[in-house]
Amino acid sequence: MFGRICAIALNTYRESLRARILIGLAGVAFAVAFYAIIVGAYTLRNAPRVVSDLGVASLSLFSIAVAVIIGATSLYRELEQKTIFPILARPLWRGEYLVGKYLGTLLTLAVFILADAGLVLQISAVLAGRPVALVAGAGAASLAVLGVAAWRSPAARTYGFIPWSVVFLALGVIFSAAAPVERRVVLAGSALAFLEVGIVAAIATLFSSFSTPFLSSLLTLGVFIVGRNADALARLPVKYFGPQISAAGRALSQVVPNLQIYVPPRPLLAGEVADANLLVYLGWAAITCAGWALGLLAVAAFVFKKRDFL
């Protein structure tokens, strides 16, 4: 079973990596990271903080966009091209196929987040005093190794980005040792962003199991917006909204995942809150993500199993 799921996941990753929209979003995300340098130049001794905050915010935003697009279109593309029929004709459960598509989406998002976080950390390292030639040279060397591997091996053209993104992040972690607070913020924010897109990708997978890409994207974005405002919906004042709307807001906040926990304030990420442990917070956030993802995938597998493709 695990072999079949991994095969579907790697195939989904390979297809997602070829999508032009993913390349475009990655380019824009990296451009925003460099743009943060310009914004930080107009602040008074706060350039590292601006780079880390803006970098984490853009990383979260663009990873959500990638999760929605890939999660909503990957399954439909298989149906439209009719490549799903020979796959399901094999001894493969539909639930395994759906889980494989979800894990392939997560793998794509992990590479995207690792690379973007590595770039933000390396920029923070330069602002903290690391030599530009050293940081840029190390990053260029990693790209050169990836290019040589891709030239010598066709498989490295696709799967080489996985180890490269890990190495690229490791370089950022090493070089940003001169800015420990910003490193902590970027790493914690990246981890929370990955956990959040884990839930969003599961939501998109659920909707794509029975709907079109446009409607799946629209519904996923709707749930995402409500989830990001779950705390506010739970506290709608009766004085201004009335008892009916206030009760509806509380009910809605209970049936959608509370995604606001994945965008905590900066003092928590920086370790400046005395009575809060960041590792414990990340642990509970991971448990919440796993619970929602497993539940949503179980419902998606049930719906997909009942779906008639004729």
Side-chain angles (χ1 to χ4, degrees), residues 244-268:
Q244 291 80 12
I245 296 180
S246 180
R250 288 194 299 271
L252 190 60
S253 67
Q254 297 297 321
V255 298
V256 298
N258 185 0
L259 300 179
Q260 202 163 1
I261 65 175
Y262 298 101
V263 283
R266 177 186 169 87
L268 177 61

Side-chain angles (χ1 to χ4, degrees), residues 65 153 160 172 186 201 204 209 221 238 266 295 304:
S153 173
V186 173
S209 65
L221 284 175
V238 179
R266 177 186 169 87
F304 191 61

Side-chain angles (χ1 to χ4, degrees), residues 125-127 129-138:
V126 172
L127 294 177
R130 287 284 188 176
V132 178
L134 175 63
V135 177

Side-chain angles (χ1 to χ4, degrees), residues 36-37 39-53 124 127 182:
I37 302 176
V39 177
Y42 290 95
T43 62
L44 183 60
R45 298 180 181 179
N46 285 326
R49 175 170 180 169
V50 171
V51 169
S52 61
D53 288 350
S124 299
L127 294 177
E182 308 310 326

Side-chain angles (χ1 to χ4, degrees), residues 60-77:
S60 175
L61 176 64
F62 288 112
S63 60
I64 290 294
V66 173
V68 172
I69 293 172
I70 296 179
T73 60
S74 179
L75 181 59
Y76 182 82
R77 186 167 54 249

Side-chain angles (χ1 to χ4, degrees), residues 15-51:
E15 293 178 350
S16 301
L17 206 63
R18 295 173 180 173
R20 295 180 179 178
I21 185 65
L22 176 62
I23 298 174
L25 287 173
V28 174
F30 295 161
V32 170
F34 284 109
Y35 175 73
I37 302 176
I38 301 175
V39 177
Y42 290 95
T43 62
L44 183 60
R45 298 180 181 179
N46 285 326
R49 175 170 180 169
V50 171
V51 169

Side-chain angles (χ1 to χ4, degrees), residues 64-65 67-73 200 203-208 210-227:
I64 290 294
V68 172
I69 293 172
I70 296 179
T73 60
V200 174
I203 296 171
T205 301
L206 170 60
F207 289 134
S208 66
F210 63 86
S211 185
T212 63
F214 175 77
L215 189 56
S216 298
S217 301
L218 197 63
L219 292 173
T220 304
L221 284 175
V223 175
F224 166 72
I225 293 173
V226 173

Side-chain angles (χ1 to χ4, degrees), residues 95 98-99 202 205-206 291-305:
L98 208 64
V99 171
T205 301
L206 170 60
W292 275 105
L294 289 174
L296 290 167
L297 289 177
V299 176
F302 176 79
V303 173
F304 191 61
K305 182 179 179 180

